[in-house]
Every structure is written in C-alpha cells, then in structure tokens.
Amino acid sequence: ELLSVIRGFDDAHGEVMMFGHNPGFTDLASLLTGAHVDNLPTCAIFCVDFDIGSWQEVGEAKGTLVFLDYPKMHL
C-alpha cells in the first residue's frame, strides 16, 4: 500500500516526506533500498534517494539509503 502511495505522488514534487507506523515503514525501507532494515524503532527517520524521472518508477531496490537515525542511536 505504501508503495502505491509513493507511485501516486505528483511528479511536480521532487521531495516528499511520509509519516507512519511499523511494521509498514520498516518493510518499506528494506523494499526501497534492497538493504536489510531489521527494525525502525520509535521516532526513527530514514531518507532514501532515487535516480528516477517519475514517482511511478519507484520500486524494489531502486533507492539508496542516505541515512537512518533514531534517538537511542545517540545514547
């Protein structure tokens, strides 16, 4: 479902931000980047970069994980 939402974004927007809950966003991070993301803990954020011309091109392992961060990472 989340991938369908992304593919529906207006191409006039070069950057978008999504908010949600697990397990969907952990699965989405793994799907988009092809990297194994074990779990996005509470308040985690991640950024994915795509070399695409349209949001409709977003798919499995098409993105590069730019960063993953969460509060307990800094304790």
Side-chain angles (χ1 to χ4, degrees):
E1 288 182 44
L2 292 172
L3 185 56
S4 293
V5 170
I6 293 169
R7 288 179 175 162
F9 290 148
D10 186 328
D11 290 332
H13 303 292
E15 297 177 2
V16 297
M17 184 179 289
M18 296 175 64
F19 298 87
H21 297 277
N22 271 329
F25 276 80
T26 294
D27 295 342
L28 182 66
S30 294
L31 176 82
L32 296 178
T33 64
H36 175 71
V37 178
D38 184 47
N39 180 50
L40 293 176
T42 301
C43 293
I45 58 172
F46 68 96
C47 177
V48 179
D49 186 44
F50 299 98
D51 185 18
I52 56 171
S54 170
W55 289 109
Q56 292 179 358
E57 298 174 39
V58 171
E60 188 171 349
K62 293 258 186 156
T64 302
L65 183 64
V66 177
F67 66 81
L68 167 62
D69 198 10
Y70 51 92
K72 288 186 179 180
M73 200 175 208
H74 302 281
L75 293 178

